[in-house]
Amino acid sequence: MDQIYPKLVTEALSHVKYPGNGKDIVSLGMVEDDIRIDGRKVSFSLIFEKPNDPFRKSLVKAAETAIKTYIGSDVEIEGNVHIKVKEQPKKKERKILPEVKNIIAVASGKGGVGKSTVASNLAVALAKAGYKVGLFDADLFGPSAPKMFDVENEKPVAIEVEGKEGIAPIEKYGVSMLSIGFFVDPNNALVWRGAMATGAIKQLIEEGHWGELDYFVVDLPPGTSDIHLTLVQTVPITGAVIVSTPQEVALADARKGINMFENNNIKVPVLGLVENMAWFTPEELPDNKYYLFGKEGCKKLAEQMNVPLLAQIPIVQSIREGGDEGRPVALDETSIMGKVFADLAKRVVEETDRRNRELEPTKKVELND
Ligand code: ADP
């Protein structure tokens, strides 16, 4: 009598078709790879995505018949056949931004390191890559997105969508954006303390009619204040991008930022670090790099803290000019700086996908039939 081995069993099972789509159950990945063989006893498990799959019982029968037909009628199919029901990845059901796939917070420990520049250019680069993108500038103390998008004089209007009154984001450069700067005079920002500030930010995020978005970029205020703590606890952030310069003082604060997000009570994954103002290259000496704020400080911090380094962005006049003129450099993806931000967007997408995959439930519920 020939020995039975697992491949024989999968071959036999590949003759069984799933009636719902006519494909065989092996190539559909419905056969668990824990086929057990003990002499002429065979046990195997089928995986169903839905616990109440109408073909559950008939497929188990068909599988048993296939084994007996293709291997031998004497084969005993051991005991109960296990049916494992794959747990459906839960559809993200959230109250805040239910139609938004990924919320990316752009944060920095210190002000002036280029956080808003990175957030705006990242949003534009993601939109250029074909994603539906929203940008919310929550930088209460220095809202700069209206300037960077050249929409300082725009006034967001209230609209009603499906019976719900809300705020229509401003559309510019393929990005739907709102800024706390449209609503708050930055000169009075300090008055907007703690709960009031978070309340206002949260409300603007919630009341924006953002529609379906692949990426919602939130430009956070600098630092690790109470505002951040409340905000990251109320807005379901997919991951954070931390911006720093390679300078010691900035790095120390960036480290605090990373620790805040990774804190057990917060648990927002850090997608990675962006080293901004990494070096300066004068136009007349294109091969020279001057490390004005120190060399590769973020690269080292990223290694120490075990987070990816997403980009190193040099000090370039066009970045500052683009910001001041309201035309982010990322708009021209053929320019050197446009390419740098396109690469950053690509890395953010990769890291977000990786985090999302890690979150997918792998637990399987086992039912015995
Ligand atoms: P933050 O949001 O961290 O306070 P900003 O993004 O507002 O910082 O940047 C501060 C200033 O530095 C802005 O004038 C901006 O145009 C400029 N800037 C930021 N990054 C760069 C860069 N890589 N090269 C040149 N200028 C930059």
Side-chain angles (χ1 to χ4, degrees):
M1 189 127 333
D2 290 340
Q3 209 196 325
I4 306 177
Y5 49 95
K7 190 150 181 286
L8 270 185
V9 178
T10 34
E11 265 168 22
L13 293 178
S14 70
H15 293 279
V16 179
K17 301 248 180 305
Y18 182 78
N21 57 19
K23 292 192 184 135
D24 78 88
I25 58 171
V26 177
S27 53
L28 284 171
M30 294 177 66
V31 180
E32 181 96 271
D33 54 8
D34 67 344
I35 294 168
R36 286 178 295 271
I37 294 157
D38 178 13
R40 303 299 287 170
K41 283 187 191 161
V42 170
S43 93
F44 64 92
S45 313
L46 296 187
I47 307 166
F48 289 88
E49 290 196 357
K50 286 184 291 191
N52 53 354
D53 192 302
F55 303 117
R56 223 169 69 175
K57 288 222 164 72
S58 54
L59 273 179
V60 171
K61 260 272 108 0
E64 287 176 354
T65 312
I67 292 174
K68 284 184 186 279
T69 309
Y70 292 96
I71 302 177
S73 53
D74 62 314
V75 176
E76 253 183 73
I77 314 231
E78 196 188 48
N80 282 328
V81 175
H82 293 274
I83 297 181
K84 292 192 173 173
V85 180
K86 218 192 243 169
E87 202 179 71
Q88 286 286 74
K90 277 208 189 82
K91 225 178 156 280
K92 279 183 208 148
E93 270 300 335
R94 33 175 153 82
K95 282 205 197 93
I96 302 183
L97 305 171
E99 293 176 290
V100 173
K101 290 198 189 117
N102 300 294
I103 304 176
I104 311 290
V106 180
S108 72
K110 215 169 100 51
V113 296
K115 171 185 53 60
S116 300
T117 305
V118 169
S120 297
N121 279 287
L122 171 64
V124 169
L126 285 167
K128 283 251 146 199
Y131 296 103
K132 290 197 194 115
V133 183
L135 171 69
F136 184 73
D137 169 17
D139 191 346
L140 192 67
F141 306 108
S144 44
K147 186 166 182 57
M148 289 193 201
F149 278 70
D150 192 22
V151 291
E152 276 172 295
N153 297 322
E154 299 258 353
K155 301 261 178 299
V157 290
I159 50 161
E160 208 183 286
V161 177
E162 288 163 10
K164 191 174 163 258
E165 183 83 3
I167 304 158
I170 309 273
E171 304 291 327
K172 191 83 192 254
Y173 305 139
V175 175
S176 308
M177 63 92 72
L178 279 178
S179 167
I180 190 101
F182 290 133
F183 306 89
V184 180
D185 177 357
N187 298 322
N188 294 328
L190 282 174
V191 184
W192 289 64
R193 272 175 217 286
M196 208 162 115
T198 22
I201 293 170
K202 191 172 159 241
Q203 199 171 2
L204 280 174
I205 291 177
E206 272 181 307
E207 291 188 352
H209 275 308
W210 303 97
E212 280 180 24
L213 294 179
D214 297 307
Y215 290 93
F216 184 65
V217 179
V218 183
D219 182 1
L220 291 181
T224 47
S225 67
D226 284 353
I227 299 184
H228 297 80
L229 286 176
T230 324
L231 212 64
V232 297
Q233 280 165 331
T234 44
V235 180
I237 297 168
T238 316
V241 171
I242 317 277
V243 183
S244 180
T245 64
Q247 196 180 3
E248 270 316 314
V249 281
L251 291 171
D253 288 350
R255 185 190 291 269
K256 277 189 213 151
I258 298 175
N259 284 334
M260 177 186 78
F261 285 110
E262 290 189 338
N263 178 292
N264 264 343
N265 298 324
I266 308 264
K267 282 208 178 117
V268 170
V270 172
L271 300 176
L273 260 174
V274 172
E275 182 169 272
N276 191 29
M277 312 196 187
W279 60 79
F280 170 68
T281 300
E283 241 171 289
E284 60 283 11
L285 296 167
D287 295 326
N288 290 24
K289 283 182 178 174
Y290 297 95
Y291 296 94
L292 304 187
F293 295 113
K295 195 175 172 187
E296 303 198 320
C298 293
K299 193 167 172 230
K300 287 173 204 151
L301 181 64
E303 279 160 17
Q304 273 169 22
M305 302 210 70
N306 201 21
V307 297
L309 180 71
L310 300 172
Q312 287 179 299
I313 303 170
I315 300 175
V316 179
Q317 194 169 332
S318 63
I319 294 187
R320 205 261 311 139
E321 284 170 354
D324 288 349
E325 287 163 10
R327 270 196 67 80
V329 282
L331 277 173
D332 179 5
E333 68 266 57
T334 59
S335 68
I336 296 175
M337 278 304 116
K339 203 173 161 311
V340 168
F341 283 107
D343 287 346
L344 168 65
K346 200 164 146 250
R347 289 290 290 116
V348 168
V349 170
E350 282 167 9
E351 287 303 322
T352 310
D353 287 349
R354 197 162 69 82
R355 296 297 165 161
N356 286 337
R357 272 200 308 278
E358 281 171 11
L359 289 179
E360 267 171 28
T362 47
K363 215 179 96 215
K364 288 178 183 154
V365 183
E366 191 157 323
L367 299 178
N368 283 326
D369 236 26

